[in-house]
Amino acid sequence: QVQLVESGGGLVQAGGSLRLSCAASSRTFRISAMAWFRQAPGKEREFVAAISLIHSRTGYADSVKGRFTISRDSAKNTLYLQMNSLKPEATAVYYCAARRFSELPTVPIGYDYWGQGTQVTVSS
């Protein structure tokens, strides 16, 4: 079983930045792609960004393109999400996800492993 632990969430003012981290442990050889999703209160979980660990391809939701950057440190088995120019609508619990294959689906069912989430709150 792959374990994912997110960190880096918090409270930030609109226009500010945060960097989320996701540490993967245990059986990480099973992972070929990772992603970030977010879920606001009363809303469905939505795709934010993903990265293939095999090809280093990335994908982003239109709402975050140009402001968020997904990256990874293979040596540390850690995934990052740099979030700049944050808007109040970015307030949500952010989840790290991983899957066994290198494609980059944008729906939650496409991922095999999930972290517990980290809260991001953007004040206006």
Side-chain angles (χ1 to χ4, degrees), residues 46-121:
E46 66 172 0
F47 171 77
V48 176
I51 184 168
S52 166
L53 305 187
I54 307 300
H55 309 294
S56 293
R57 289 182 294 112
T58 58
Y60 294 90
D62 288 342
S63 60
V64 306
K65 279 181 181 176
R67 298 185 298 114
F68 289 14
T69 302
I70 189 170
S71 63
R72 53 145 178 152
D73 184 329
S74 300
K76 297 181 179 179
N77 287 329
T78 301
L79 178 74
Y80 301 100
L81 183 68
Q82 178 67 43
M83 305 186 293
N84 298 329
S85 302
L86 281 162
K87 303 176 182 180
E89 50 263 43
T91 295
V93 176
Y94 283 70
Y95 295 92
C96 173
R99 58 182 266 119
R100 288 168 289 179
F101 302 102
S102 62
E103 294 82 6
L104 304 179
T106 59
V107 291
I109 198 172
Y111 292 83
D112 306 300
Y113 310 103
W114 290 87
Q116 300 266 4
T118 185
Q119 176 70 46
V120 171
T121 302

